[in-house]
Amino acid sequence: MESNNTKQKVFSGIQPTGTFTLGNYIGAVRNWPLLQDEYDCIYSVVDQHALTVRQDPATLRKRTYEAAAMLLASGIDPDKSLVFIQSHNPVHSQLSWILACNTQFGELSRMTQFKDKSAKHPDNVNGGLFTYPVLMAADILAYNAHQVPVGVDQKQHVELARNIAQRFNANYGETFVMPEALIPKVGAKIMSLQEPTKKMSKSDENPNAFILLLDDEAAIMRKFKRAVTDSDGVVKYDVENKPGVSNLMGIYNVFTGKSFEEIEKEFDGAGYGVLKEAVGSCVYQTLKPVQDRYNAILSDKAYLEKVLKEGSEKAIAYSQRLLNKVYRKVGFVQFK
Ligand code: TRP
């Protein structure tokens, strides 16, 4: 990332919470490398956010490396973009405190993710879970990011970051850029292969419901073969009445670039078996090189650590300047 140009900035974060699904890949990771030329991109493995639910320390550490390797394997180029681990840049937590003092209890109480997660883990409704969106706002605002590529479930958090930025600017003078959520239109939502009205999720108890990014060819082909469709045998895009077939078509559309009309023509009279086979093999063809790169990167720890170290050094240098400005504005003493 060059700091002396006028490109807008992109920030996004990914939680190191385990293996990624095809849904994560299509909805998030796959889109990030596409922004590298137009923007200065900053991508972070947000281990501090992951800590809002209980984590086994060794597993968290392992998954943090894996998430970073996945970002690089999917095409993020460390010569163009910054990749680093959130906890390696203390500015995020430092800025988070200032922003927390400019965020209302009521605003945080209204966050749907907080409500969902506290219902799901009633034994661990911790302070971090509550202030999670403030840390996320700090991630974004610390770099004056204009664009924030996220799934639609994170839109409310980006809106909150905007509100906080606006409020701070109004109280202390122009400081933060107003960030915007960048939500992918195509393939934003990949559904379960077993219950196609539900989002694809790796926490589904039926392993046939989701494709993991690291699934081998046999597993991918088998899961698509077993995908739930319907009984009328016509390949037609109709999410309401044919959610299973439409989901397969959506995946095929993302990976081949073919329109739904073209896909309907291609499989006219062919039956679902042929469609499933075609979708499975195009998914495998796309994932195979990502898997190969991922394995190569993970087995070269020295390289991975070098990238992450350089990434955090640049991230710190950039965001520290902004934090100093914020500290000055709020009235913290700064020695010359
Ligand atoms: N909350 C995001 C998620 O769970 C991850 C995240 C943390 C993030 N900080 C961010 C995304 C900043 C975008 C920008 O997906």
Side-chain angles (χ1 to χ4, degrees):
M1 189 181 89
E2 296 158 34
S3 49
N4 57 348
N5 63 25
T6 52
K7 278 187 191 170
Q8 289 197 346
K9 294 197 167 46
V10 157
F11 184 97
S12 198
I14 188 150
Q15 292 206 43
T17 44
T19 37
F20 302 108
T21 65
L22 188 65
N24 299 127
Y25 181 69
I26 294 177
V29 182
R30 173 178 162 274
N31 302 302
W32 294 3
L34 306 175
L35 300 164
Q36 292 182 113
D37 293 318
E38 198 180 335
Y39 298 95
D40 275 339
C41 298
I42 303 146
Y43 296 124
S44 185
V45 180
V46 291
D47 53 347
Q48 291 172 293
H49 277 107
L51 215 58
T52 56
V53 297
R54 239 170 244 128
Q55 299 287 342
D56 168 60
T59 310
L60 178 63
R61 200 169 290 124
K62 181 165 165 279
R63 287 178 169 171
T64 301
Y65 279 113
E66 289 171 354
M70 190 49 84
L71 294 181
L72 298 173
S74 70
I76 290 167
D77 176 354
D79 289 330
K80 292 184 185 162
S81 305
L82 296 191
V83 181
F84 70 101
I85 298 169
Q86 185 186 33
S87 64
H88 290 187
N89 182 0
V91 170
H92 295 236
S93 359
Q94 291 171 310
L95 180 60
S96 182
W97 177 256
I98 310 287
L99 300 182
C101 297
N102 287 276
T103 309
Q104 296 304 306
F105 181 87
E107 289 181 294
L108 293 175
S109 313
R110 283 193 292 276
M111 294 290 118
T112 16
Q113 185 177 295
F114 171 70
K115 290 192 263 184
D116 290 350
K117 284 199 178 172
S118 38
K120 218 166 138 192
H121 306 276
D123 57 331
N124 189 20
V125 184
N126 61 75
L129 195 65
F130 189 64
T131 53
Y132 176 116
V134 180
L135 179 59
M136 181 163 159
D139 296 340
I140 299 166
L141 301 181
Y143 301 91
N144 265 333
H146 292 77
Q147 302 290 342
V148 185
V150 282
V152 70
D153 62 315
Q154 295 297 313
K155 193 167 180 235
Q156 195 185 30
H157 290 162
V158 179
E159 297 286 319
L160 179 73
R162 287 173 66 87
N163 292 340
I164 298 172
Q166 201 156 34
R167 187 172 309 143
F168 191 96
N169 288 351
N171 289 339
Y172 296 101
E174 214 49 35
T175 310
F176 296 120
V177 160
M178 293 298 280
E180 256 171 63
L182 195 66
I183 295 168
K185 281 180 209 78
V186 212
K189 217 168 174 193
I190 299 298
M191 312 307 278
S192 154
L193 298 180
Q194 291 296 315
E195 269 179 85
T197 48
K198 256 177 46 186
K199 198 175 153 182
M200 181 183 284
S201 159
K202 64 184 173 232
S203 48
D204 203 306
E205 58 218 33
N206 183 348
N208 287 323
F210 53 84
I211 302 283
L212 295 176
L213 232 49
L214 298 174
D215 274 347
D216 63 15
E217 184 172 16
I220 293 174
M221 297 310 287
R222 188 186 66 238
K223 290 178 185 181
F224 277 110
K225 207 165 171 181
R226 295 193 184 158
V228 168
T229 46
D230 53 58
S231 55
D232 71 26
V234 184
V235 177
K236 187 167 173 284
Y237 193 75
D238 178 351
V239 178
E240 191 117 315
N241 300 306
K242 297 168 70 67
V245 170
S246 303
N247 188 36
L248 293 175
M249 290 176 73
I251 296 170
Y252 198 61
N253 158 268
V254 169
F255 286 130
T256 62
K258 292 177 186 168
S259 70
F260 294 124
E261 230 173 41
E262 287 170 314
I263 300 171
E264 284 169 7
K265 249 190 222 133
E266 182 177 342
F267 296 98
D268 186 27
Y272 296 155
V274 182
L275 172 70
K276 289 174 177 181
E277 175 96 27
V279 177
S281 78
C282 87
V283 167
Y284 175 68
Q285 295 308 328
T286 311
L287 295 188
K288 176 76 169 67
V290 178
Q291 296 179 350
D292 290 346
R293 280 197 297 272
Y294 172 83
N295 290 323
I297 293 165
L298 254 196
S299 62
D300 188 355
K301 268 275 175 67
Y303 166 76
L304 185 54
E305 290 187 346
K306 179 172 161 281
V307 167
L308 292 171
K309 194 153 179 274
E310 285 174 7
S312 68
E313 281 163 3
K314 290 183 189 157
I316 291 169
Y318 185 83
S319 54
Q320 184 67 51
R321 263 179 281 145
L322 188 73
L323 183 70
N324 290 346
K325 186 172 168 188
V326 169
Y327 274 11
R328 193 170 63 244
K329 293 211 171 188
V330 300
F332 288 170
V333 168
Q334 287 176 318
F335 295 138
K336 290 254 155 51

